Amino acid sequence: MFKKILIANRGEIACRVIKTARKMGTQTVAVYSEADRDALHVEMANEAVLIGPPAAAESYLVIEKIVEACKKTGAQAVHPGYGFLSEREAFPRALEAAGIVFIGPNPGAIAAMGDKIESKKAAAKAKVSTVPGYLGVIEDDKHAVKIADEIGYPVMIKASAGGGGKGMRIAHSKSEVAEGFNLAKAEAKASFGDDRVFVEKFIVDPRHIEIQVLGDKHGNVVYLGERECSIQRRNQKVIEEAPSPLLDEATRRKMGEQAVALAKAVNYDSAGTVEFVAGQDKSFYFLEMNTRLQVEHPVTELVTGVDLVEQMIRVAAGEKLALAQKDVTLTGWAVESRLYAEDPFRNFLPSIGRLVKYRPPAEVSKDGITVRNDTGVQEGGEISIHYDPMIAKLVTHAPSRAAAIEAQATALDSFYVDGIRHNIPFLSALMHHPRWREGRLSTGFIAEEFPKGFAVRVPEGEVARRIAARSGSTVGRSSSKSLARATPSQCASSMPRARPAIRICWPRRGSPAIRSGRAPSTVTSLRCRPARSPTASASRIRASKSRSMSGPKRKRPRRG
């Protein structure tokens, strides 16, 4: 087993890997850019090495700097996390040349699955269900239209080297194919330096379901159930859960066996994910294979009890898998929400700045309910413009899907972030949405349920009456102002929900809402405290006035 490993990443995934390494008694080395000098992962690691300026292209993406940091610290192996260099074939080859172990799949498997066109050919050869499409070279938009006519509409135009929703277009007609083809090629060229695209049948009302696989260097591969990632915004996952409410045991087994067959076909020897697009009729087709640890891996860990990071480290050290397929069982249900520094009320505009307050819910496991918060930030830290704006991954586990969702909703309500905009109100709205709770999902969920974007919902019916009664309408405030002081989830939720206690949210002193005289536009600018009676409020105002008139203000001493 390794005595020291380096994590070639930052943020929450670097912190996540460090936690498991600590548990295993392994020393850790963090790398950091100048922008991350005070980051949490730097503080948590046993050692830390500066690797360059804030720009990832000059720090986290420079293979030579990672190799040099390993040599400097004596790190025997490198965990890449996700993103950055995790799926670059050249990275494990460079490490191998330097005598350093890559905690991930072999470079041949990365190469085989890294190209979407070649991976689909490999999947078809391994008898994995694939979406009807054309995987050859598409000469121009006229050729693309001809192919789409043969496949049948709608079609999906996708970048071969793509990922993260870039270089993708859905087309329902010839004109949309011609336009989408040119746009997808241009975007693919700009994002990946590779303008190759392919065309395939678009599955109507699709769901995104993926299978977690785990292999070792002795030819063993198992699957650890599925994750449903259908709640997406612009092809980016927002909420994930395990297992999927769509699948039955027979479909799960078929998907798992096909995922294992593909992994074995490319000699896969680490943790990886085989993604499928599924129809509402439980039909499924191969999308791609991610040759790395997924962002949403915690939901699988909670329902299987398997620490995927630990297994990756042990496999990289040459150990055989400690579990066989018959040992894998799924227990309960897990739900994960991705907390981002973005403003859902302003079309999810990214937000940067200092985390003035960061108070996540307590991580506990009690009475069958588990709350886990994977994060890479701390109070007083900075959300930088240079990197992904993820704040945390909030995960809950419970005996049933309904209980896991309820636990997630409660945990979101107790998550307090201030200083930046964040998407907690939106996540709360999703947790209370009846369609989500019923499991009627598709990748078009957010676009269909929030066609005009996300906005504060004015409480209605019984919730509105309760708030009006508790806020004291007799103090002379207008009803609209009373309603504007609802709790975050009451404002954000599309489904009213009874609560054991009502909190009244007031604008923070000095906030833009106060300075402009306008009602607060986001829950970020609200401070929650219990409702007080008008009499008590009047008494405090009188006391405040008497104090202010009791004498002249004393000057604050100047700092030398």
Side-chain angles (χ1 to χ4, degrees):
M1 183 51 61
F2 309 117
K3 293 182 178 179
K4 184 184 291 187
I5 66 172
L6 181 145
I7 300 94
N9 217 299
R10 63 175 301 281
E12 68 87 13
I13 188 58
C15 296
R16 163 72 189 89
V17 175
I18 291 171
K19 287 179 181 178
T20 287
R22 280 180 177 175
K23 183 179 70 175
M24 298 175 68
T26 302
Q27 296 282 299
T28 56
V29 179
V31 291
Y32 64 96
S33 71
E34 291 169 356
D36 280 338
R37 193 177 296 274
D38 299 317
L40 182 59
H41 75 283
V42 176
E43 180 180 310
M44 288 178 65
N46 298 104
E47 300 176 63
V49 178
L50 176 65
I51 54 172
E58 300 177 59
S59 52
Y60 295 105
L61 290 173
V62 182
I63 294 175
E64 294 77 14
K65 291 185 176 182
I66 304 298
V67 173
E68 182 59 34
C70 289
K71 293 178 178 179
K72 180 179 179 180
T73 59
Q76 300 161 291
V78 174
H79 196 297
Y82 53 74
F84 291 141
L85 297 170
S86 62
E87 293 182 282
R88 298 275 186 93
E89 177 193 354
F91 188 36
R93 294 197 187 280
L95 291 174
E96 185 179 14
I100 303 163
V101 177
F102 180 67
I103 303 175
N106 64 81
I110 294 176
M113 293 291 101
D115 185 293
K116 285 184 169 57
I117 291 177
E118 294 305 315
S119 68
K120 285 181 180 293
K121 291 178 180 178
K125 189 175 180 180
K127 301 189 184 312
V128 176
S129 300
T130 55
V131 179
Y134 183 83
L135 302 178
V137 176
I138 302 177
E139 299 168 0
D140 52 30
D141 55 358
K142 291 180 180 179
H143 188 197
V145 169
K146 181 181 178 182
I147 292 167
D149 287 342
E150 293 172 355
I151 295 172
Y153 295 93
V155 297
M156 173 75 85
I157 305 165
K158 301 175 73 173
S160 175
K166 294 182 174 67
M168 295 173 60
R169 293 292 186 279
I170 299 170
H172 296 82
S173 65
K174 293 182 178 182
S175 60
E176 290 184 3
V177 170
E179 181 183 11
F181 173 79
N182 292 320
L183 290 172
K185 278 182 70 72
E187 190 171 332
K189 181 69 174 176
S191 300
F192 314 111
D194 183 346
D195 67 353
R196 290 177 303 146
V197 299
F198 61 95
V199 179
E200 64 184 14
K201 179 71 176 175
F202 177 70
I203 308 302
V204 178
D205 202 23
R207 298 171 78 129
H208 183 120
I209 299 176
E210 58 191 34
I211 301 291
Q212 176 71 56
V213 296
L214 185 63
D216 63 19
K217 300 183 185 303
H218 304 275
N220 303 304
V221 183
V222 298
Y223 67 91
L224 303 177
E226 81 281 2
R227 297 183 286 261
E228 173 130 10
C229 312
S230 296
I231 305 300
Q232 303 178 5
R233 192 183 71 84
R234 297 178 181 173
N235 299 309
Q236 293 279 2
K237 299 167 187 174
V238 177
I239 292 175
E240 301 94 358
E241 61 181 312
S244 164
L246 176 71
L247 301 192
D248 52 33
E249 187 54 43
T251 309
R252 177 178 297 113
R253 184 170 56 254
K254 285 174 62 178
M255 293 180 78
E257 289 173 350
Q258 289 194 19
V260 168
L262 178 60
K264 287 185 174 181
V266 297
N267 299 314
Y268 201 80
D269 53 358
S270 188
T273 299
V274 181
E275 299 191 348
F276 294 91
V277 58
Q280 300 294 342
D281 60 355
K282 297 184 177 66
S283 60
F284 59 89
Y285 306 94
F286 172 75
L287 271 179
E288 62 182 351
M289 184 174 188
N290 290 313
T291 56
R292 55 172 168 78
L293 190 67
Q294 290 280 83
V295 175
E296 58 272 16
H297 74 274
V299 293
T300 296
E301 292 184 324
L302 288 176
V303 297
T304 62
V306 176
D307 185 327
L308 289 171
V309 173
E310 179 179 351
Q311 293 303 312
M312 291 180 75
I313 294 172
R314 293 190 180 282
V315 164
E319 295 185 15
K320 288 186 177 181
L321 286 180
L323 70 165
Q325 193 60 57
K326 62 181 177 61
D327 301 319
V328 178
T329 57
L330 306 183
T331 304
W333 215 284
V335 174
E336 174 181 292
S337 294
R338 299 189 187 191
L339 274 66
Y340 280 104
E342 58 187 16
D343 190 346
F345 301 97
R346 292 182 173 85
N347 198 29
F348 297 90
L349 189 70
S351 178
I352 60 173
R354 185 174 296 279
L355 282 165
V356 177
K357 297 290 183 183
Y358 178 72
R359 310 286 169 82
E363 294 189 275
V364 296
S365 187
K366 183 179 180 182
D367 299 329
I369 305 294
T370 297
V371 177
R372 167 176 166 177
N373 185 54
D374 283 15
T375 188
V377 301
Q378 56 189 337
E379 191 167 291
E382 291 279 341
I383 300 297
S384 171
I385 194 174
H386 301 286
Y387 313 113
D388 185 89
M390 181 182 286
I391 300 171
K393 299 180 315 196
L394 182 63
V395 197
T396 53
H397 178 260
S400 67
R401 185 174 188 269
I405 291 173
E406 192 62 32
Q408 180 75 204
T410 301
L412 285 167
D413 276 356
S414 61
F415 210 128
Y416 181 42
V417 177
D418 196 10
I420 58 164
R421 306 297 186 186
H422 55 76
N423 67 338
I424 293 177
F426 180 63
L427 297 172
S428 180
L430 291 174
M431 282 302 123
H432 294 293
H433 200 289
R435 181 177 159 188
W436 154 255
R437 292 198 168 213
E438 292 164 13
R440 295 185 291 109
L441 312 180
S442 79
T443 55
F445 181 98
I446 291 177
E448 293 162 5
E449 299 300 324
F450 301 91
K452 297 181 179 179
F454 182 69
V456 172
R457 178 183 173 87
V458 176
E460 301 172 352
E462 180 60 25
V463 172
R465 286 191 290 274
R466 288 173 59 210
I467 293 172
R470 291 297 298 269
S471 62
S473 57
T474 57
V475 297
R477 301 180 190 270
S478 68
S479 60
S480 62
K481 288 183 179 178
S482 297
L483 293 179
R485 296 182 296 165
T487 64
S489 57
Q490 287 168 338
C491 290
S493 177
S494 58
M495 178 180 179
R497 175 169 172 258
R499 295 183 177 277
I502 295 293
R503 295 178 298 165
I504 305 303
C505 294
W506 301 81
R508 291 184 288 107
R509 184 177 292 119
S511 71
I514 295 295
R515 291 195 297 270
S516 65
R518 292 181 284 107
S521 58
T522 79
V523 178
T524 312
S525 65
L526 301 180
R527 179 184 60 189
C528 296
R529 54 185 170 88
R532 295 188 176 93
S533 69
T535 306
S537 298
S539 299
R540 285 194 305 277
I541 292 171
R542 286 195 296 271
S544 176
K545 285 184 176 179
S546 73
R547 283 195 300 270
S548 66
M549 293 186 293
S550 60
K553 289 184 179 180
R554 288 179 294 177
K555 290 185 178 180
R556 186 177 299 173
R558 293 181 63 181
R559 294 181 180 178

